[in-house]
């Protein structure tokens, strides 16, 4: 009760003229106290509770929307990313099918990417060397001798089924033997692993696209999902086709 009386008393004080509240001889500190009482409205809420309520209101504020130009940009970027993944998988599957049928073509080495110390990222093999066919083997001639060890390392890292690497008079020779049942099985496994990697990358591109748009139900979300269905279906069909071709 004493607290309530104090609050009421202070409330009445703030309504009175300043001259009536403080005698003329009152010290300066008393004047300052009353001036502060009149300037700030009284509240029975604790300061910490005020901060909490303000924080809740701020957190509940809606996020800024994505405008139409941003939606188009995000959808286009997602499409390009998924399309690049599907093209990568298509190239590898095609090469494996060719290998499984016993065909010897330079395209068998198209998936090989080379890491060079003086260049960022990965470089296609055909950008640093020529690939030809001779006597049932692939002949790789590196233009810059300093890059030979990097090309050879890239060929080993590619782990192409059924292909062995040999040094031959300043070139790299890769005999392509007739595919056996074991080689075909290894090719199919590599096709499956490639397609599964492509699926994961397409799903990740879809997730990133939806997140950039603000989630499902936002503008452009249906377009991103349609792209995921389209390119996901394409890479699934690659594995089915490869199995049929290698079973002939």
């Amino acid at each position: 009760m004493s607290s309530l009386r104090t609050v009421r008393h202070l409330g009445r004080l703030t309504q009175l003229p300043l001259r009536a509240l403080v005698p003329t001889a009152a010290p300066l500190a008393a004047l300052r106290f009353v001036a502060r009482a009149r300037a700030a409205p009284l509240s029975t809420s604790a300061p910490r509770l005020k901060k909490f309520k303000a924080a809740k209101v701020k957190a509940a504020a809606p996020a800024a929307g994505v405008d139409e130009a941003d939606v188009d940009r995000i959808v286009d970027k997602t499409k390009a990313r998924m399309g690049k993944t599907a093209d990568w998988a298509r190239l590898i599957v095609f090469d494996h099918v060719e290998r499984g049928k016993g065909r010897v073509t330079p395209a068998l080495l198209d998936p090989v990417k080379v890491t060079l110390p003086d260049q960022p990222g990965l470089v296609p093999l055909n950008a640093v060397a020529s690939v030809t066919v001779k006597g049932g083997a692939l002949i790789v001639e590196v233009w810059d001798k300093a890059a030979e060890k990097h090309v050879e390392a890239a060929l080993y890292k590619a782990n192409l089924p059924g292909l062995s690497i040999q040094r031959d008079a300043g070139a790299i020779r890769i005999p392509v033997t007739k595919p056996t049942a074991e080689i075909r099985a290894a090719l199919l496994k590599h096709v499956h692993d490639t397609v599964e990697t492509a699926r994961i990358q397409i799903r990740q591109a879809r997730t990133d696209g939806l997140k950039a748009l603000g989630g499902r139900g936002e503008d452009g979300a249906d377009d991103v999902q349609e792209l995921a269905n389209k390119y996901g279906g394409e890479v699934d069909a690659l594995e089915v086709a490869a199995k049929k071709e290698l079973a002939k």
Side-chain angles (χ1 to χ4, degrees), residues 50-133:
K50 287 183 179 180
K51 291 181 181 179
F52 174 74
K53 288 181 178 179
K56 284 186 68 176
V57 172
K58 186 176 181 181
V66 180
D67 61 31
E68 186 175 350
D70 286 337
V71 169
D72 292 340
R73 177 183 56 79
I74 293 168
V75 172
D76 289 343
K77 182 178 179 180
T78 303
K79 180 180 180 180
R81 184 174 167 187
M82 292 182 181
K84 186 176 180 180
T85 297
D87 289 343
W88 166 79
R90 190 178 295 109
L91 176 63
I92 292 180
V93 171
F94 173 79
D95 290 342
H96 282 29
V97 169
E98 292 291 288
R99 172 73 183 99
K101 290 183 173 182
R103 296 172 185 162
V104 183
T105 68
L108 293 175
L109 299 183
D110 282 351
V112 178
K113 307 296 180 185
V114 183
T115 301
L116 298 176
D118 58 342
Q119 294 190 33
L122 298 175
V123 179
L125 177 62
N126 58 15
V128 295
S130 63
V131 182
T132 57
V133 178

Side-chain angles (χ1 to χ4, degrees), residues 14-234:
T14 58
Q15 303 302 318
L16 295 174
L18 185 61
R19 189 174 299 172
L21 289 171
V22 183
T24 307
L28 182 60
L31 287 171
R32 288 173 177 169
F33 169 78
V34 176
R36 285 197 301 269
R38 295 188 64 181
L42 293 173
S43 172
T44 57
S45 302
R48 203 163 77 180
L49 180 60
K50 287 183 179 180
K51 291 181 181 179
F52 174 74
K53 288 181 178 179
K56 284 186 68 176
V57 172
K58 186 176 181 181
V66 180
D67 61 31
E68 186 175 350
D70 286 337
V71 169
D72 292 340
R73 177 183 56 79
I74 293 168
V75 172
D76 289 343
K77 182 178 179 180
T78 303
K79 180 180 180 180
R81 184 174 167 187
M82 292 182 181
K84 186 176 180 180
T85 297
D87 289 343
W88 166 79
R90 190 178 295 109
L91 176 63
I92 292 180
V93 171
F94 173 79
D95 290 342
H96 282 29
V97 169
E98 292 291 288
R99 172 73 183 99
K101 290 183 173 182
R103 296 172 185 162
V104 183
T105 68
L108 293 175
L109 299 183
D110 282 351
V112 178
K113 307 296 180 185
V114 183
T115 301
L116 298 176
D118 58 342
Q119 294 190 33
L122 298 175
V123 179
L125 177 62
N126 58 15
V128 295
S130 63
V131 182
T132 57
V133 178
K134 184 178 180 180
L138 295 170
I139 307 299
V140 180
E141 294 183 275
V142 184
W143 300 322
D144 184 358
K145 297 302 180 184
E148 279 188 357
K149 62 180 181 180
H150 302 294
V151 170
E152 190 171 355
L155 290 168
Y156 278 112
K157 187 177 180 180
N159 194 27
L160 301 172
L163 300 182
S164 58
I165 300 170
Q166 303 171 359
R167 284 278 191 166
D168 183 17
I172 300 174
R173 186 172 185 271
I174 307 175
V176 181
T177 58
K178 189 174 181 179
T180 62
E182 289 77 11
I183 290 177
R184 289 189 175 216
L187 288 168
L188 277 175
K189 183 181 183 306
H190 203 272
V191 165
H192 173 77
D193 292 344
T194 298
V195 170
E196 184 58 31
T197 299
R199 290 190 188 111
I200 293 172
Q201 291 180 355
I202 288 171
R203 287 196 294 265
Q204 185 60 51
R206 178 192 61 189
T207 299
D208 293 344
L210 291 175
K211 183 177 180 180
L213 291 169
R216 296 181 182 275
E218 299 294 336
D219 289 343
D222 289 344
D223 294 332
V224 168
Q225 184 59 54
E226 287 177 7
L227 289 171
N229 295 341
K230 175 182 181 294
Y231 289 109
E234 287 184 8

